[in-house]
Amino acid sequence: MALLAIITGVVWYAVFTLENGRDLRMVVFDVGQGDSIFIEAPNGNQVLIDGGPSNAVLGKLGGAMPFWDRSIDLMVLTHPHADHIMGLVEVLKRYDVGMVIESGVNYSTAEYRAWRTLLEQKHIPIMIARAGQKAHLASDIKLTILTPFESFVEKSPSNVHDAMVVSKLVYASSSALLTGDAEKYLEYRLLLSGADLRSDILKVGHHGSKTSTTEDFVRAISPRYAVISVGKKNRYSHPAQQTLDTLAKFNIKIFRIDQDGDVEFVSDGSRFEKVP
Amino acid sequence: MAGVGLRSFVATPYVAVCAGLLVGCAVFTLGVSGQNRSRIIYGAIIASFFIGMLRFDVAARPNPDVASLIGTSTTVRGVVWLEPTFGPQSQTLHVRVLSVDNLGVAAPLIVRAVNKRHPVYEIGEELILSGRITDPTDDANFRNNTPAQPPVMLFPRIKTTNAPNRRPIMHALVRLKQTFGKSIDAALPEPHGAFLKGLLLGERTSLPADLLESFKETGTAHIVALSGYNITIIGRSLAWILMMLTIPFYASFWVACSAMALFVLMTGASASAVRAGIIAVLALIAYREGRPYQMTNALAFAGAAMLVFDPTLLRFDVGFQLSFLATMGLVYLAPLLEPRIEHASDRLKRFVGVRPVSRALWHGNSETTPRVFLTVKRLFIETLSAELAVLPLLVYLFGYLSLISPFANIAVLIAVPYAMGTGFFTGLAGFFSSVLGSIVGVASWILLEYIMDAVKVFASFPYATVELGRSGVSLILRIYGAAAWRIYRKTL
């Protein structure tokens, strides 16, 4: 009897978790000082953009995904800095990953070597990101790659932030701009490229550092919400007051993972809304 | 033990210790020659007291090489001596130094190196580390009541020497443990996987910080530490599997014993693991002999054996102190508490007006009472007595008191053995096929989820913990004194 009851419980749990998804879901995980963004389309396709500085992302994924689900369809590495790649290496070890998008930039750290080795071992297809590519998550949901404009394969730019994979998540008329650690230089190149930047949500670049989030850039995006992924008491004193002021000037509602924890948004296609 | 204890607080001149030792030996020999039993025993007690003091002196003498190294930038060649431990972003290596700047080191010298998570080093690997050696007491997290810590190198430059592994047996054991861990990782999501590894292997480094905090607040953190209890469960279930496979009891007993010994080695043979291992093996022996397991004797034996190897434990190892106090609580306080709790519950019931039926339930002859009820009662008495015993030390160390703890422990401990059992099978099944592992994993996932949710719920109650500060200790001791006096007067 007890066994039957448990099985019934599990089945109902499964039904409810599967039934729940009518909306596009985007969660900015609280992984401390670092970036990690999880996206789930209504059809169950899952994307993970960056993994934060530690293995904390594993616990977050365990909570965000049903317990039997061990696969992620698409993984995006914006750039190979430790606060973005470390968690992805841990995820690669444990999950079946369908495909990886990265810039292919040359960067010699132990983490990046571990990442490359794992990709090779597991035969995971890698797509080198270039502006204009689109990953279709569902019929009307796509992840559009906005940068890099040129190939960085085996190149070593003086600032690895310039080889950033910036992308835009679009579901019908709702959208979110995911900037990674893009700095001013890239922001202005994006403005000049004529790409459609308008978005409901801005993932603020480079943890709110003053190297990013210029006024012109914010004006072009004109988001309603901004999310800053910063760790509590981080040693860089992110976010910069200057960045907060710029965002405040446009009356943008700011969420910070160091204060708000995981920040989750859902969209039914018309607009993104914050999940309380 | 008393000798070690006294010596750790009071510096004693050698002459006095030696004189005392001589007196002890003299009394002992007099006793032997005069056939006087009490003299033999007293002589042995006095002698062992002073031997204890000497033993502490030998251990506490600082390593002459360490002081001269601190503050210098050096190149050190050494072997990764223990299994590297991983923090969320770092890995810590305990390196046994072979040479410093190409000069050999005579005495065994350990350097703790904190490094990035990647690349991952393995136990037994020979490394060359260059960097500054610092005093561990400079660390802000350093607590004053810990014994001499090895000097630290923070983020040194590390090269591997490609020498053959220096600890091949340990390396193989650790590998085995890691494979077991991986098969758990494959079957369960996080944080369930990390929690199960905490239950089975006593690893708590990969547990999410907020979860660990909830465990501490509800006084249930002991379940994710290696204890005699964990190892006994693992040993018993192994013996059980072997007996199911119709292997004779005698053989499965020895296999289980050696498995537990290997398990202790595998987890790095830390102080707590060794103590747990000794207790677990004694429990299994008692089980084989069909004799009631004498906790006091086992505990005294385990304690004495460990202090011979490392006398600094008594004064400095909090885990050592806590688990000894807790076990003493189980042995001495539980029999005192049991009749009183029954008495109190009777009075409560009469007050509320419950019918005699439930009275029969509580007093329980095993035929009419549901087993769950008896288990809850037993767990309540056990946790309460263990807790009362460790309470003064806990308040002294951490300054807060967990009011919710007895209830949280009952809710959690009911499920723990089953979670461990199913978890152990999940890991084993994963060795054969990952699909099989995931199927068995569903059962352990449910149990683990229940435990974690229960802990979180209990931790979220208001006034779950009360700040007392160190002054709380004297208050508690005074209450204990009064209670002891009342019990003493009643028994007269």
Side-chain angles (χ1 to χ4, degrees):
Chain A
M1 263 309 276
L3 190 70
L4 268 177
I6 289 168
I7 293 172
T8 319
V10 172
V11 170
W12 275 108
Y13 174 86
V15 169
F16 273 112
T17 38
L18 293 178
E19 270 295 299
N20 240 337
R22 283 276 165 270
D23 293 332
L24 170 67
R25 202 153 75 96
M26 179 177 108
V27 193
V28 181
F29 286 142
D30 173 17
V31 288
Q33 178 71 11
D35 266 21
S36 185
I37 300 165
F38 176 72
I39 297 163
E40 190 175 38
N43 61 6
N45 277 340
Q46 292 154 334
V47 183
L48 183 65
I49 301 176
D50 288 344
S54 66
N55 59 359
V57 65
L58 292 174
K60 296 294 180 185
L61 281 178
M65 294 163 67
F67 74 84
W68 62 83
D69 189 352
R70 286 319 179 73
S71 65
I72 289 172
D73 303 279
L74 173 64
M75 201 179 220
V76 179
L77 173 66
T78 59
H79 69 297
H81 275 161
D83 57 336
H84 296 250
I85 196 175
M86 284 281 270
L88 286 190
V89 174
E90 301 299 318
V91 175
L92 268 187
K93 286 184 196 161
R94 308 247 193 136
Y95 285 78
D96 294 324
V97 175
M99 192 175 87
V100 158
I101 294 182
E102 64 161 323
S103 70
V105 69
N106 202 15
Y107 196 67
S108 69
T109 57
E111 301 89 66
Y112 198 40
R113 267 195 296 279
W115 158 265
R116 284 275 168 90
T117 316
L118 275 169
L119 287 179
E120 229 165 84
Q121 268 173 14
K122 302 204 153 192
H123 306 291
I124 297 169
I126 304 171
M127 195 161 95
I128 299 299
R130 287 293 286 277
Q133 290 165 342
K134 289 184 175 71
H136 289 273
L137 309 183
S139 55
D140 45 359
I141 301 177
K142 57 184 185 286
L143 189 70
T144 310
I145 308 294
L146 300 180
T147 71
F149 295 106
E150 59 271 344
S151 169
F152 281 97
V153 177
E154 296 307 320
K155 281 187 193 157
S156 314
S158 56
N159 183 358
V160 115
H161 284 161
D162 293 338
M164 188 66 49
V165 180
V166 175
S167 57
K168 187 176 170 183
L169 175 68
V170 184
Y171 180 18
S173 59
S174 60
S175 57
L177 189 69
L178 310 170
T179 56
D181 278 3
E183 295 185 16
K184 284 173 191 163
Y185 165 77
L186 215 52
E187 291 183 355
Y188 278 108
R189 282 195 66 180
L190 268 169
L191 284 172
L192 293 172
S193 75
D196 175 22
L197 296 177
R198 291 189 75 86
S199 302
D200 301 323
I201 303 168
L202 167 66
K203 202 297 292 178
V204 175
H206 201 189
H207 321 285
S209 154
K210 62 180 179 208
T211 57
S212 312
T213 321
T214 54
E215 217 175 301
D216 296 329
F217 191 58
V218 178
R219 185 178 293 118
I221 304 162
S222 59
R224 284 183 297 131
Y225 302 119
V227 193
I228 308 178
S229 40
V230 280
K232 284 190 188 82
K233 296 182 196 145
N234 64 79
R235 58 182 152 145
Y236 312 99
S237 325
H238 288 160
Q241 191 53 48
Q242 184 185 323
T243 308
L244 296 176
D245 292 343
T246 310
L247 294 169
K249 199 181 280 181
F250 292 95
N251 275 330
I252 299 164
K253 177 95 181 93
I254 301 172
F255 297 102
R256 300 170 50 165
I257 60 168
D258 58 338
Q259 293 170 356
D260 303 300
D262 298 342
V263 181
E264 182 174 350
F265 299 94
V266 289
S267 164
D268 57 1
S270 58
R271 56 198 267 174
F272 268 108
E273 285 305 337
K274 166 87 168 42
V275 176
Chain B
M1 270 198 238
V4 172
L6 181 67
R7 175 59 189 89
S8 69
F9 289 103
V10 188
T12 5
Y14 271 109
V15 190
V17 177
C18 292
L21 185 59
L22 278 178
V23 171
C25 290
V27 175
F28 183 75
T29 31
L30 274 178
V32 171
S33 57
Q35 299 286 311
N36 187 334
R37 267 193 83 169
S38 65
R39 270 193 192 165
I40 297 182
I41 292 168
Y42 283 124
I45 290 174
I46 296 172
S48 54
F49 180 83
F50 288 103
I51 289 175
M53 289 179 108
L54 276 178
R55 181 69 192 88
F56 186 87
D57 270 345
V58 174
R61 200 178 303 158
N63 195 321
D65 283 327
V66 180
S68 61
L69 282 177
I70 282 170
T72 57
S73 291
T74 40
T75 300
V76 160
R77 194 166 60 86
V79 175
V80 181
W81 201 247
L82 302 174
E83 188 192 358
T85 51
F86 290 93
Q89 300 185 41
S90 62
Q91 83 180 298
T92 304
L93 306 167
H94 283 257
V95 177
R96 195 185 170 114
V97 177
L98 300 172
S99 67
V100 177
D101 289 331
N102 290 324
L103 296 171
V105 188
L109 169 62
I110 296 279
V111 168
R112 201 157 54 99
V114 180
N115 196 44
K116 294 205 292 180
R117 237 185 125 93
H118 292 279
V120 173
Y121 296 101
E122 287 181 13
I123 185 169
E125 224 177 323
E126 200 180 292
L127 302 176
I128 294 173
L129 307 99
S130 35
R132 228 171 80 87
I133 296 186
T134 52
D135 189 350
T137 45
D138 292 345
D139 189 346
N141 299 323
F142 183 80
R143 280 222 315 277
N144 223 356
N145 57 345
T146 42
Q149 288 276 331
V152 180
M153 286 176 111
L154 286 176
F155 302 99
R157 194 174 304 165
I158 300 182
K159 274 191 293 188
T160 49
T161 58
N162 295 323
N165 198 301
R166 296 278 196 140
R167 309 196 75 188
I169 298 172
M170 285 300 293
H171 185 237
L173 283 171
V174 168
R175 263 292 176 70
L176 185 67
K177 187 180 86 170
Q178 285 170 349
T179 324
F180 186 72
K182 269 188 194 153
S183 101
I184 287 175
D185 289 341
L188 293 170
E190 291 296 326
H192 303 75
F195 178 38
L196 180 57
K197 280 189 275 179
L199 279 179
L200 288 176
L201 308 171
E203 289 179 357
R204 44 165 91 178
T205 47
S206 48
L207 275 180
D210 54 337
L211 186 64
L212 194 56
E213 193 51 40
S214 305
F215 276 121
K216 284 181 184 159
E217 277 173 18
T218 52
T220 49
H222 59 91
I223 62 171
V224 285
L226 212 55
S227 66
Y229 178 66
N230 304 43
I231 301 187
T232 312
I233 287 190
I234 290 171
R236 282 251 183 98
S237 27
L238 198 67
W240 185 72
I241 295 172
L242 290 174
M243 272 155 63
M244 293 274 284
L245 298 172
T246 67
I247 289 166
F249 179 78
Y250 193 71
S252 24
F253 168 77
W254 283 111
V255 172
C257 272
S258 35
M260 289 194 292
L262 287 179
F263 185 81
V264 169
L265 274 179
M266 205 157 80
T267 51
S270 66
S272 56
V274 171
R275 175 187 56 235
I278 294 175
I279 291 177
V281 168
L282 285 175
L284 209 65
I285 291 175
Y287 179 63
R288 185 192 66 162
E289 302 286 327
R291 225 183 259 181
Y293 177 42
Q294 286 285 334
M295 267 298 208
T296 341
N297 294 348
L299 200 66
F301 177 73
M306 286 184 62
L307 289 182
V308 168
F309 287 105
D310 187 358
T312 54
L313 288 177
L314 183 65
R315 166 83 189 281
F316 296 112
D317 190 318
V318 176
F320 183 91
Q321 299 159 349
L322 284 178
S323 67
F324 266 75
L325 282 176
T327 324
M328 288 200 354
L330 286 182
V331 175
Y332 295 111
L333 286 180
L336 281 177
L337 273 179
E338 193 164 352
R340 282 179 175 74
I341 282 178
E342 303 216 330
H343 184 66
S345 76
D346 276 356
R347 281 213 340 227
L348 185 72
K349 272 174 202 155
R350 231 172 295 144
F351 181 70
V352 187
V354 189
R355 286 188 200 91
V357 184
S358 60
R359 236 190 100 134
L361 265 181
W362 179 257
H363 286 292
N365 51 60
S366 46
E367 283 159 45
T368 51
T369 317
R371 249 179 58 204
V372 183
F373 209 80
L374 288 175
T375 319
V376 169
K377 181 179 141 190
R378 184 178 51 80
L379 284 175
F380 184 69
I381 290 167
E382 282 180 0
T383 45
L384 204 62
S385 46
E387 220 141 77
L388 284 174
V390 295
L391 193 63
L393 183 61
L394 275 184
V395 173
Y396 174 73
L397 287 172
F398 306 112
Y400 64 81
L401 167 71
S402 176
L403 294 179
I404 209 80
S405 168
F407 309 103
N409 267 294
I410 292 170
V412 161
L413 287 178
I414 286 180
V416 163
Y418 302 104
M420 284 177 68
T422 51
F424 188 65
F425 281 113
T426 306
L428 281 188
F431 273 131
F432 301 109
S433 108
S434 59
V435 179
L436 196 62
S438 316
I439 293 169
V440 184
V442 175
S444 50
W445 183 87
I446 294 169
L447 290 160
L448 294 167
E449 175 75 14
Y450 160 73
I451 296 176
M452 289 192 292
D453 283 346
V455 166
K456 277 183 212 153
V457 167
F458 278 111
S460 68
F461 283 158
Y463 302 109
T465 55
V466 184
E467 290 286 336
L468 278 181
R470 291 209 163 179
S471 58
V473 180
S474 67
L475 178 72
I476 290 171
L477 286 179
R478 254 176 272 164
I479 296 173
Y480 278 20
W485 176 243
R486 268 194 67 180
I487 292 172
Y488 177 70
R489 279 237 317 253
K490 268 191 192 168
T491 48
L492 273 183

